[in-house]
Amino acid sequence: MTIKAVEHAIAARDALAEGVFSFLHSGRSGYVLICGLILIVLSGVLMMATFDSREARAAPPGWEQFVAATGSNQWVSASFMLSAGA
């Protein structure tokens, strides 16, 4: 019984690896994946910078700071980058 489980695990691993390699070797899809991941990472950096902005630092900590940070133009740019990467 454990031998069949191991065989199924190996078959699933091979199918997953074959699917990943097929995706990466199918043309531009690898570049699209990499660009999307880079956009998501950059939007995360921009969101962190939003909470260090002048507007966010001027507001009291807590909900007011969150509202001040998410109302800025930086937050709009970060949300556009996040949606473009996803």
Coordinates of all heavy atoms in Angstrom, one line a residue:
M1 N 0.8 -1.2 0.0 CA 0.0 0.0 0.0 C 0.9 1.3 0.0 O 0.6 2.2 -0.7 CB -0.9 0.0 1.2 CG -1.9 1.1 1.2 SD -3.2 0.7 2.4 CE -4.2 2.1 2.2
T2 N 1.9 1.3 0.8 CA 2.8 2.5 0.8 C 3.6 2.6 -0.5 O 3.9 3.7 -0.9 CB 3.8 2.4 1.9 OG1 4.6 1.2 1.8 CG2 3.1 2.4 3.3
I3 N 3.8 1.5 -1.2 CA 4.5 1.6 -2.5 C 3.6 2.3 -3.5 O 4.1 3.2 -4.3 CB 4.9 0.2 -3.0 CG1 5.9 -0.4 -2.0 CG2 5.4 0.2 -4.4 CD1 6.3 -1.9 -2.3
K4 N 2.3 2.1 -3.5 CA 1.4 2.7 -4.5 C 1.3 4.2 -4.1 O 1.3 5.1 -5.0 CB 0.0 2.1 -4.4 CG 0.0 0.8 -5.1 CD -1.5 0.3 -5.2 CE -1.5 -1.0 -6.0 NZ -2.8 -1.3 -6.4
A5 N 1.4 4.6 -2.9 CA 1.3 6.0 -2.5 C 2.6 6.7 -3.0 O 2.5 7.8 -3.4 CB 1.2 6.1 -1.0
V6 N 3.7 6.0 -2.8 CA 5.0 6.6 -3.3 C 4.9 6.8 -4.8 O 5.4 7.8 -5.4 CB 6.2 5.8 -2.8 CG1 7.4 6.2 -3.5 CG2 6.3 5.8 -1.3
E7 N 4.4 5.8 -5.5 CA 4.3 5.9 -7.0 C 3.4 7.0 -7.4 O 3.7 7.7 -8.4 CB 3.8 4.5 -7.5 CG 4.8 3.4 -7.5 CD 4.3 2.1 -7.9 OE1 3.1 2.0 -8.2 OE2 5.0 1.1 -7.9
H8 N 2.3 7.2 -6.7 CA 1.4 8.3 -7.0 C 2.1 9.6 -6.7 O 1.9 10.6 -7.5 CB 0.1 8.2 -6.2 CG -0.8 7.1 -6.7 ND1 -1.3 7.1 -8.0 CD2 -1.3 6.0 -6.1 CE1 -2.1 6.1 -8.2 NE2 -2.1 5.3 -7.0
A9 N 2.8 9.7 -5.6 CA 3.5 11.0 -5.3 C 4.6 11.3 -6.4 O 4.7 12.5 -6.8 CB 4.1 10.9 -3.9
I10 N 5.3 10.3 -6.8 CA 6.3 10.5 -7.9 C 5.6 10.9 -9.2 O 6.1 11.8 -9.9 CB 7.1 9.2 -8.0 CG1 8.0 9.0 -6.8 CG2 8.0 9.3 -9.3 CD1 8.8 7.7 -6.8
A11 N 4.5 10.3 -9.5 CA 3.8 10.7 -10.8 C 3.3 12.1 -10.7 O 3.3 12.8 -11.6 CB 2.7 9.7 -11.0
A12 N 2.7 12.5 -9.5 CA 2.2 13.8 -9.3 C 3.4 14.9 -9.4 O 3.2 15.9 -10.1 CB 1.5 14.0 -8.0
R13 N 4.5 14.5 -8.8 CA 5.7 15.4 -8.9 C 6.1 15.6 -10.3 O 6.4 16.7 -10.8 CB 6.8 14.9 -8.0 CG 8.0 15.8 -8.0 CD 9.2 15.1 -7.5 NE 9.6 14.0 -8.4 CZ 10.5 13.1 -8.2 NH1 11.1 13.1 -7.0 NH2 10.7 12.1 -9.0
D14 N 6.2 14.5 -11.1 CA 6.7 14.5 -12.5 C 5.7 15.3 -13.3 O 6.1 16.1 -14.2 CB 6.8 13.1 -13.0 CG 8.0 12.4 -12.4 OD1 8.9 13.1 -11.8 OD2 8.0 11.2 -12.5
A15 N 4.4 15.2 -13.1 CA 3.4 15.9 -13.9 C 3.5 17.4 -13.6 O 3.4 18.2 -14.5 CB 2.0 15.4 -13.5
L16 N 3.7 17.8 -12.3 CA 3.8 19.2 -11.9 C 5.1 19.8 -12.6 O 5.0 20.9 -13.1 CB 3.9 19.3 -10.4 CG 4.0 20.7 -9.9 CD1 2.8 21.5 -10.2 CD2 4.3 20.7 -8.4
A17 N 6.2 19.1 -12.5 CA 7.4 19.6 -13.1 C 7.3 19.7 -14.6 O 7.8 20.7 -15.2 CB 8.6 18.6 -12.8
E18 N 6.6 18.8 -15.2 CA 6.4 18.8 -16.7 C 5.5 20.0 -17.0 O 5.8 20.7 -18.0 CB 5.8 17.6 -17.2 CG 5.6 17.5 -18.7 CD 5.0 16.2 -19.1 OE1 5.1 15.2 -18.4 OE2 4.3 16.2 -20.2
G19 N 4.5 20.3 -16.2 CA 3.6 21.4 -16.5 C 4.4 22.8 -16.3 O 4.2 23.7 -17.1
V20 N 5.2 22.9 -15.3 CA 6.0 24.1 -15.1 C 7.0 24.3 -16.2 O 7.1 25.4 -16.8 CB 6.8 24.0 -13.7 CG1 7.8 25.2 -13.6 CG2 5.8 24.1 -12.6
F21 N 7.7 23.3 -16.7 CA 8.6 23.4 -17.8 C 7.9 23.7 -19.1 O 8.4 24.5 -19.9 CB 9.5 22.2 -17.9 CG 10.5 22.1 -16.9 CD1 10.7 20.9 -16.2 CD2 11.3 23.1 -16.5 CE1 11.7 20.7 -15.2 CE2 12.3 23.0 -15.5 CZ 12.5 21.8 -14.9
S22 N 6.7 23.2 -19.3 CA 5.9 23.4 -20.5 C 5.5 24.9 -20.5 O 5.5 25.6 -21.5 CB 4.7 22.5 -20.5 OG 3.9 22.9 -21.6
F23 N 5.1 25.4 -19.3 CA 4.7 26.8 -19.2 C 5.9 27.7 -19.5 O 5.7 28.7 -20.3 CB 4.2 27.1 -17.8 CG 3.9 28.5 -17.5 CD1 2.7 29.1 -18.0 CD2 4.7 29.3 -16.8 CE1 2.4 30.4 -17.8 CE2 4.4 30.6 -16.5 CZ 3.3 31.2 -17.1
L24 N 7.0 27.4 -19.0 CA 8.2 28.3 -19.1 C 8.8 28.3 -20.5 O 9.3 29.2 -21.0 CB 9.3 28.0 -18.1 CG 8.9 28.3 -16.7 CD1 10.0 27.8 -15.7 CD2 8.6 29.8 -16.5
H25 N 8.6 27.2 -21.2 CA 9.1 27.0 -22.6 C 8.1 27.3 -23.7 O 8.4 27.1 -24.8 CB 9.7 25.6 -22.8 CG 10.9 25.4 -22.0 ND1 10.9 24.9 -20.7 CD2 12.2 25.5 -22.3 CE1 12.1 24.8 -20.3 NE2 13.0 25.2 -21.2
S26 N 7.0 27.8 -23.3 CA 5.9 28.1 -24.3 C 6.0 29.4 -24.9 O 5.0 29.9 -25.5 CB 4.5 27.8 -23.7 OG 4.3 28.8 -22.7
G27 N 7.0 30.1 -24.8 CA 7.1 31.5 -25.5 C 7.3 32.6 -24.5 O 8.1 32.6 -23.6
R28 N 6.4 33.5 -24.6 CA 6.4 34.7 -23.8 C 5.9 34.6 -22.4 O 6.0 35.5 -21.6 CB 5.7 35.9 -24.4 CG 6.3 36.3 -25.7 CD 5.6 37.4 -26.3 NE 5.9 37.6 -27.7 CZ 5.3 38.4 -28.5 NH1 4.2 39.0 -28.1 NH2 5.7 38.5 -29.7
S29 N 5.2 33.5 -22.1 CA 4.5 33.4 -20.8 C 5.5 33.5 -19.6 O 5.2 34.0 -18.5 CB 3.8 32.1 -20.7 OG 4.6 31.0 -20.9
G30 N 6.7 33.0 -19.8 CA 7.7 33.1 -18.7 C 8.1 34.6 -18.4 O 8.2 35.0 -17.3
Y31 N 8.2 35.4 -19.5 CA 8.5 36.8 -19.3 C 7.3 37.5 -18.6 O 7.5 38.4 -17.8 CB 8.8 37.5 -20.6 CG 10.0 37.0 -21.3 CD1 9.9 36.3 -22.5 CD2 11.2 37.1 -20.7 CE1 11.1 35.8 -23.1 CE2 12.4 36.6 -21.3 CZ 12.3 36.0 -22.5 OH 13.4 35.5 -23.1
V32 N 6.1 37.1 -19.0 CA 4.9 37.8 -18.4 C 4.9 37.4 -16.9 O 4.5 38.3 -16.1 CB 3.6 37.3 -19.1 CG1 2.4 37.7 -18.4 CG2 3.6 37.8 -20.5
L33 N 5.2 36.2 -16.6 CA 5.2 35.8 -15.2 C 6.2 36.6 -14.4 O 6.0 37.1 -13.3 CB 5.5 34.3 -15.0 CG 5.7 33.8 -13.6 CD1 4.4 33.8 -12.9 CD2 6.3 32.4 -13.7
I34 N 7.4 36.7 -14.9 CA 8.5 37.5 -14.2 C 8.1 38.9 -14.1 O 8.3 39.5 -13.0 CB 9.8 37.3 -15.0 CG1 10.3 35.8 -14.8 CG2 10.9 38.2 -14.5 CD1 11.5 35.5 -15.7
C35 N 7.6 39.5 -15.1 CA 7.2 40.9 -15.0 C 6.1 41.1 -14.0 O 6.0 42.1 -13.3 CB 6.7 41.4 -16.4 SG 8.1 41.7 -17.6
G36 N 5.1 40.2 -14.0 CA 4.0 40.3 -13.0 C 4.6 40.2 -11.6 O 4.1 40.9 -10.7
L37 N 5.5 39.3 -11.3 CA 6.1 39.1 -10.0 C 6.9 40.4 -9.6 O 6.8 40.8 -8.5 CB 7.0 37.9 -9.9 CG 6.3 36.6 -10.0 CD1 7.3 35.4 -10.1 CD2 5.3 36.4 -8.8
I38 N 7.6 41.0 -10.6 CA 8.3 42.2 -10.3 C 7.4 43.3 -9.9 O 7.6 44.1 -9.0 CB 9.3 42.6 -11.4 CG1 10.4 41.6 -11.5 CG2 9.8 44.0 -11.3 CD1 11.3 41.7 -12.7
L39 N 6.3 43.4 -10.7 CA 5.3 44.5 -10.4 C 4.7 44.3 -9.0 O 4.5 45.3 -8.2 CB 4.2 44.5 -11.4 CG 4.5 45.2 -12.7 CD1 3.4 45.0 -13.7 CD2 4.7 46.7 -12.5
I40 N 4.4 43.1 -8.6 CA 3.8 42.8 -7.3 C 4.8 43.2 -6.2 O 4.5 43.8 -5.2 CB 3.4 41.4 -7.2 CG1 2.1 41.1 -8.1 CG2 3.1 41.0 -5.7 CD1 1.7 39.7 -8.2
V41 N 6.1 42.8 -6.4 CA 7.1 43.2 -5.4 C 7.3 44.7 -5.3 O 7.3 45.3 -4.2 CB 8.5 42.5 -5.7 CG1 9.6 43.0 -4.9 CG2 8.3 41.0 -5.5
L42 N 7.3 45.4 -6.4 CA 7.5 46.8 -6.4 C 6.3 47.5 -5.8 O 6.4 48.5 -5.1 CB 7.7 47.4 -7.8 CG 9.1 47.1 -8.4 CD1 9.2 47.6 -9.8 CD2 10.2 47.7 -7.6
S43 N 5.1 47.0 -6.0 CA 3.9 47.6 -5.4 C 4.0 47.4 -3.8 O 3.5 48.3 -3.1 CB 2.6 47.0 -5.9 OG 2.5 45.6 -5.5
G44 N 4.5 46.3 -3.4 CA 4.7 46.1 -1.9 C 5.7 47.1 -1.4 O 5.4 47.7 -0.3
V45 N 6.7 47.4 -2.1 CA 7.7 48.4 -1.6 C 7.1 49.8 -1.6 O 7.2 50.5 -0.7 CB 9.0 48.4 -2.5 CG1 9.9 49.6 -2.2 CG2 9.7 47.1 -2.4
L46 N 6.3 50.1 -2.6 CA 5.6 51.4 -2.7 C 4.6 51.5 -1.6 O 4.4 52.6 -1.0 CB 5.0 51.6 -4.1 CG 4.4 52.9 -4.4 CD1 5.4 54.0 -4.2 CD2 3.9 52.9 -5.8
M47 N 3.9 50.4 -1.2 CA 2.9 50.5 -0.1 C 3.6 50.7 1.2 O 3.1 51.5 2.0 CB 2.1 49.2 -0.1 CG 1.0 49.1 -1.1 SD 0.1 47.6 -0.9 CE -1.0 47.7 -2.3
M48 N 4.8 50.1 1.4 CA 5.5 50.4 2.6 C 6.0 51.8 2.7 O 6.0 52.5 3.7 CB 6.7 49.4 2.7 CG 6.3 48.0 2.8 SD 5.4 47.6 4.2 CE 6.6 47.8 5.5
A49 N 6.4 52.4 1.5 CA 6.8 53.8 1.5 C 5.6 54.7 1.7 O 5.8 55.8 2.3 CB 7.4 54.1 0.1
T50 N 4.4 54.3 1.4 CA 3.2 55.1 1.6 C 3.0 55.4 3.1 O 2.6 56.5 3.5 CB 2.0 54.4 1.0 OG1 2.2 54.2 -0.4 CG2 0.7 55.2 1.2
F51 N 3.3 54.3 3.9 CA 3.1 54.5 5.4 C 4.2 55.3 6.0 O 4.1 55.7 7.1 CB 3.0 53.2 6.0 CG 1.6 52.5 5.8 CD1 1.5 51.5 4.8 CD2 0.5 52.9 6.5 CE1 0.3 50.9 4.6 CE2 -0.7 52.4 6.3 CZ -0.9 51.4 5.3
D52 N 5.3 55.6 5.2 CA 6.3 56.5 5.7 C 6.3 57.9 5.1 O 7.2 58.7 5.2 CB 7.7 55.8 5.4 CG 8.8 56.4 6.2 OD1 8.6 56.7 7.4 OD2 9.9 56.6 5.6
S53 N 5.1 58.2 4.4 CA 5.0 59.5 3.8 C 4.7 60.6 4.8 O 4.4 60.3 6.0 CB 3.9 59.4 2.7 OG 2.6 59.2 3.4
R54 N 4.8 61.8 4.4 CA 4.5 62.9 5.3 C 3.1 62.9 5.8 O 2.9 63.2 7.0 CB 4.7 64.3 4.5 CG 6.0 64.9 4.8 CD 6.1 66.2 4.1 NE 6.8 66.0 2.9 CZ 6.5 66.6 1.7 NH1 5.5 67.5 1.7 NH2 7.1 66.3 0.6
E55 N 2.1 62.6 4.9 CA 0.7 62.6 5.4 C 0.5 61.5 6.5 O -0.2 61.7 7.4 CB -0.2 62.3 4.2 CG -0.2 63.3 3.1 CD 0.8 63.0 2.0 OE1 1.5 62.0 2.1 OE2 0.9 63.8 1.1
A56 N 1.1 60.3 6.3 CA 0.9 59.3 7.2 C 1.6 59.5 8.5 O 1.1 59.2 9.6 CB 1.4 57.9 6.6
R57 N 2.8 60.2 8.5 CA 3.5 60.5 9.7 C 2.9 61.6 10.5 O 3.0 61.7 11.7 CB 5.0 60.8 9.4 CG 5.8 59.6 9.2 CD 7.3 59.9 9.1 NE 7.6 60.1 7.7 CZ 8.5 61.0 7.3 NH1 9.1 61.8 8.1 NH2 8.8 61.1 6.0
A58 N 2.1 62.5 9.8 CA 1.5 63.6 10.5 C 0.2 63.1 11.2 O -0.2 63.8 12.2 CB 1.1 64.7 9.4
A59 N -0.3 62.0 10.8 CA -1.6 61.5 11.5 C -1.2 60.7 12.7 O -0.1 60.2 12.8 CB -2.3 60.7 10.5
P60 N -2.1 60.7 13.7 CA -1.9 59.9 14.9 C -1.9 58.4 14.5 O -2.5 58.0 13.6 CB -3.0 60.2 15.8 CG -4.0 60.9 15.0 CD -3.4 61.5 13.8
P61 N -1.1 57.6 15.3 CA -1.1 56.2 14.9 C -2.4 55.5 15.0 O -3.3 55.9 15.8 CB -0.1 55.6 15.9 CG 0.1 56.6 17.0 CD -0.4 57.9 16.4
G62 N -2.5 54.4 14.2 CA -3.8 53.7 14.3 C -4.6 53.9 13.0 O -4.0 54.0 11.9
W63 N -5.9 53.9 13.2 CA -6.8 54.0 12.0 C -6.6 55.3 11.3 O -6.6 55.3 10.0 CB -8.2 53.9 12.5 CG -9.2 54.0 11.4 CD1 -10.1 55.0 11.1 CD2 -9.5 53.0 10.4 NE1 -10.8 54.7 10.0 CE2 -10.5 53.5 9.6 CE3 -9.0 51.7 10.2 CZ2 -11.0 52.8 8.5 CZ3 -9.5 51.0 9.1 CH2 -10.5 51.5 8.3
E64 N -6.3 56.4 12.0 CA -6.1 57.7 11.3 C -4.9 57.6 10.4 O -4.9 58.2 9.3 CB -6.0 58.8 12.3 CG -7.2 59.1 13.1 CD -7.4 58.2 14.3 OE1 -6.5 57.5 14.6 OE2 -8.5 58.3 14.9
Q65 N -3.9 57.0 10.8 CA -2.7 56.9 10.0 C -2.9 56.0 8.8 O -2.5 56.3 7.7 CB -1.5 56.2 10.8 CG -0.2 56.2 10.0 CD 0.9 55.6 10.9 OE1 0.7 55.0 11.9 NE2 2.1 55.9 10.5
F66 N -3.7 54.9 8.9 CA -4.1 54.1 7.8 C -4.9 54.9 6.8 O -4.7 54.8 5.6 CB -4.8 52.9 8.3 CG -5.3 51.9 7.2 CD1 -4.3 51.1 6.5 CD2 -6.6 51.9 6.7 CE1 -4.7 50.3 5.5 CE2 -7.0 51.1 5.7 CZ -6.1 50.3 5.1
V67 N -5.9 55.6 7.3 CA -6.7 56.4 6.4 C -5.9 57.5 5.6 O -6.1 57.7 4.4 CB -7.9 57.1 7.1 CG1 -8.6 58.1 6.3 CG2 -8.8 56.0 7.6
A68 N -5.0 58.1 6.3 CA -4.1 59.1 5.7 C -3.2 58.5 4.6 O -3.0 59.1 3.6 CB -3.3 59.8 6.8
A69 N -2.7 57.3 4.9 CA -1.8 56.7 4.0 C -2.5 56.2 2.7 O -2.1 56.3 1.6 CB -1.1 55.5 4.6
T70 N -3.7 55.6 2.9 CA -4.4 55.1 1.8 C -5.2 56.1 1.0 O -5.6 55.9 -0.1 CB -5.5 54.0 2.3 OG1 -6.3 54.6 3.2 CG2 -4.8 52.8 2.9
G71 N -5.2 57.4 1.5 CA -5.8 58.4 0.7 C -4.8 59.2 -0.1 O -5.2 60.1 -0.8
S72 N -3.6 58.8 -0.1 CA -2.5 59.5 -0.8 C -2.4 59.0 -2.3 O -2.9 58.0 -2.6 CB -1.2 59.4 -0.1 OG -0.7 58.0 -0.2
N73 N -1.7 59.8 -3.1 CA -1.5 59.4 -4.5 C -0.6 58.2 -4.6 O -0.6 57.5 -5.5 CB -0.9 60.6 -5.3 CG -1.9 61.7 -5.5 OD1 -3.1 61.4 -5.5 ND2 -1.5 62.9 -5.7
Q74 N 0.3 58.1 -3.6 CA 1.2 56.9 -3.6 C 0.5 55.6 -3.5 O 0.8 54.6 -4.1 CB 2.2 57.0 -2.5 CG 3.2 58.1 -2.6 CD 4.1 58.3 -1.4 OE1 3.6 58.0 -0.3 NE2 5.3 58.8 -1.5
W75 N -0.6 55.6 -2.7 CA -1.4 54.4 -2.5 C -2.1 54.1 -3.8 O -2.2 52.9 -4.1 CB -2.4 54.6 -1.4 CG -3.1 53.4 -1.1 CD1 -4.3 53.0 -1.5 CD2 -2.7 52.3 -0.2 NE1 -4.7 51.8 -1.1 CE2 -3.7 51.3 -0.3 CE3 -1.6 52.0 0.5 CZ2 -3.6 50.1 0.4 CZ3 -1.5 50.9 1.2 CH2 -2.5 49.9 1.2
V76 N -2.6 55.1 -4.5 CA -3.3 54.8 -5.8 C -2.3 54.2 -6.8 O -2.6 53.2 -7.5 CB -3.9 56.2 -6.3 CG1 -4.4 56.0 -7.7 CG2 -4.9 56.7 -5.4
S77 N -1.1 54.7 -6.8 CA -0.1 54.2 -7.7 C 0.3 52.7 -7.3 O 0.4 51.9 -8.2 CB 1.2 55.0 -7.7 OG 0.9 56.3 -8.1
A78 N 0.4 52.5 -6.0 CA 0.7 51.1 -5.6 C -0.4 50.1 -5.9 O -0.2 49.0 -6.3 CB 1.0 51.1 -4.1
S79 N -1.7 50.6 -5.8 CA -2.8 49.7 -6.1 C -2.9 49.4 -7.6 O -3.2 48.3 -8.0 CB -4.1 50.3 -5.6 OG -4.4 51.5 -6.2
F80 N -2.5 50.4 -8.4 CA -2.5 50.2 -9.9 C -1.4 49.2 -10.2 O -1.6 48.3 -11.1 CB -2.3 51.5 -10.6 CG -3.5 52.3 -10.8 CD1 -3.4 53.7 -10.9 CD2 -4.8 51.7 -10.7 CE1 -4.6 54.5 -11.0 CE2 -5.9 52.5 -10.9 CZ -5.8 53.9 -11.0
M81 N -0.2 49.3 -9.6 CA 0.9 48.4 -9.8 C 0.5 47.0 -9.4 O 0.8 46.0 -10.1 CB 2.1 48.8 -9.1 CG 2.8 50.0 -9.8 SD 4.3 50.5 -8.9 CE 5.4 49.2 -9.3
L82 N -0.2 46.9 -8.2 CA -0.6 45.6 -7.7 C -1.6 44.9 -8.7 O -1.5 43.7 -9.0 CB -1.2 45.7 -6.3 CG -1.6 44.4 -5.6 CD1 -0.3 43.5 -5.4 CD2 -2.2 44.7 -4.3
S83 N -2.6 45.7 -9.1 CA -3.6 45.1 -10.0 C -3.0 44.7 -11.4 O -3.4 43.8 -12.0 CB -4.7 46.0 -10.2 OG -4.3 47.2 -10.8
A84 N -2.0 45.5 -11.8 CA -1.3 45.2 -13.1 C -0.5 43.9 -13.0 O -0.4 43.1 -13.9 CB -0.4 46.3 -13.6
G85 N 0.1 43.7 -11.8 CA 0.9 42.5 -11.6 C 0.1 41.2 -11.4 O 0.6 40.1 -11.7
A86 N -1.1 41.4 -10.9 CA -1.9 40.2 -10.6 C -2.7 39.9 -11.9 O -2.7 39.2 -12.7 CB -2.9 40.5 -9.6

